[in-house]
Amino acid sequence: MSEPQLVVTDLHVAYGPIKALRGVTLHANEGQTVAVLGANGSGKTTLLRAISNMLARSQGSVRINGADTAGVPAHRLVREGLLHVPEGRGTIGRLSVRENLRLAYDLRPTRQSFEAALELVFARFPRMSERLGQLAGSLSGGEQQMLTLARAIVNRPRLLLVDEPSLGLSPVMVDEAFAVLREFQTSGMTILIVEQNVRKTLSFAHEGYILRQGQIVASGSGAELLRDPAILSHYLGAS
Amino acid sequence: MIAEQIVNGVVLGSMYALVALGFTLVFGVLDKLNFALSELFMLGGFVVIASVGLGAPLWLAGILVLVVCGLLGLVVEFVSFRKFTSADAQVTAALSSLAVGLIMIDLVQKTWGGEPVSVPVPIEWRRANVAFFGMQIQVMKIVILAVTLVLMGVLHWLISRTAMGRNIRAVAESPTFATLLGIDVKRVNQQTFFIASALAGAGGLMFSLRNGIASSDIGFTFGLKALAIMAIGGMGDLRGAVLGGILVGVIESLAIQFGFGKLGEIIVWALMILVLLARPGGLFGAAHTTEQRA
């Protein structure tokens, strides 16, 4: 392996005069799960949006699979295997569940038929087969999260960015979402996850970074960070 | 007589509907008004005159209207909408498209003069009638209705059944989420402008065939009525644009039948005000939801 799949170097992003990211450096090796933790407003969402080129960077570089992504349109990054699941899931509410999955399928048509891809989804999420004709907007929050993750089954990304997958979900659905992410992890998918649910996230991430006011203030393996209550309580206010 | 006026109203309304569909498509996807559509409607008749003048048969002239107006729509997208992404863009882009429309009027008047120009359709075509339930209906009106229905059918199929339509609906709901799904929003915008402009041009084509003339000054009033119809039908609502167009066309025709004459126009505006007072989201659709474009 020449270089990690995702390499972020000295990344700066500003919203006008407000500096949201101030020199973030991190990397994720292929197959690794990397967590970025931080309080509200620490720049986590901005970091993901900058990596997926939804936001322009003012300084620094992002390299995915060895190529600098500067100037590559965001939709093309998606076509090349980056799946960014934003806060609020990113499903299209006025399209049916089937159409939402079809959008994912159309991105990189594989040799497998759409129907076969749907079967894979049903195998993991049996409930999706009943919901197929429904508008995505009519699903519950948990079901929408499942739909979002089902997109990664229909069209397997090389790099998955997930923004707060547990937000607004019931405890049961949170467990379910993490179970699915763990399966993706086991299958060798590279995952960059941003979360407030510190313990759950660190207990399955290989590496963790703590983000505070747009800067990385601590990093280490998930286990190391979990064992260091000082870091956790100081930066996250976690119990 | 009333039945005949209703037929006239449906014919007129289907032309309104074509332009209103153009407005509502662009509005649905970009949340912006493309005023140039009014003048692309006007231009439809002149493209027919120019094509027939160059020796094209009428069916080919009709196709050329769709293509030329569609391509001009791409120009409008590039000139007046592509770079307009700031918070003021809802106003500035609309004004810019209005200016592009005014330039089109000027260019038409430079080429053909300010007076109406007759459309080279054989007079016996326009005179031909068929009997239908005791009414005499011009064949031309039936042709207009049939072509409009086909265009609406194709539009419905494109939007609801094809990958392009799926992408258009996704961008209409959320450009951000659509991008994250790998959709090229810029291309979807271009497709939307092409379709909307071709529809407006087709409306102009029908109008010039019915009246036998093309005129450089019809775009503004007709376009404003199409905008009113979009509001009546519900902004961004395709079905609302069609039903609203036919409703307004029939009301206008009946108003003329009952001797209100020019008052028919006032009825359209009064109807819009009343509908919007009672149902701000329009008669048919749920209120159009706008996303904060981040």
Side-chain angles (χ1 to χ4, degrees), chain B residues 4-24:
Chain B
E4 268 170 50
Q5 283 306 319
I6 289 177
V7 171
N8 283 338
V10 173
V11 171
L12 177 64
S14 67
M15 296 173 201
Y16 284 145
L18 285 174
V19 183
L21 277 172
F23 277 121
T24 216

Side-chain angles (χ1 to χ4, degrees), chain B residues 20-21 24-25 28 230 233-242 281 284-286 288:
Chain B
L21 277 172
T24 216
L25 262 178
M230 167 176 74
M235 311 281 276
D237 187 308
L238 298 182
R239 193 187 41 154
V242 173
F284 305 103
H288 178 79

Side-chain angles (χ1 to χ4, degrees), chain B residues 10-28 32-45 65-66 69 104 144 147-149 151-152 155 192-208 218-246 248-249 269:
Chain B
V10 173
V11 171
L12 177 64
S14 67
M15 296 173 201
Y16 284 145
L18 285 174
V19 183
L21 277 172
F23 277 121
T24 216
L25 262 178
V26 171
F27 187 82
K32 295 188 185 93
L33 293 175
N34 173 13
F35 281 113
L37 285 171
S38 304
E39 305 313 332
L40 286 167
F41 163 81
M42 176 276 288
L43 220 53
V65 169
L66 299 183
C69 289
M104 289 180 194
I144 289 171
V147 172
T148 309
L149 268 177
L151 286 175
M152 287 175 182
L155 178 69
T192 307
F193 269 78
F194 187 97
I195 296 170
S197 306
L199 287 175
L205 163 72
M206 304 301 158
F207 194 82
S208 67
I218 54 163
F220 189 67
T221 323
F222 200 94
L224 277 184
K225 274 194 215 164
L227 278 172
I229 286 160
M230 167 176 74
I232 289 169
M235 311 281 276
D237 187 308
L238 298 182
R239 193 187 41 154
V242 173
L243 296 177
I246 289 167
V248 164
W269 304 117

Side-chain angles (χ1 to χ4, degrees), chain B residues 241-263:
Chain B
V242 173
L243 296 177
I246 289 167
L247 179 72
V248 164
V250 169
I251 287 177
E252 233 185 284
S253 293
L254 288 179
I256 291 166
Q257 165 74 12
F258 290 117
F260 290 105
K262 270 285 173 194
L263 278 179

Side-chain angles (χ1 to χ4, degrees), chain B residues 26 97 137 188:
Chain B
V26 171
S97 68
I137 298 181
V188 167

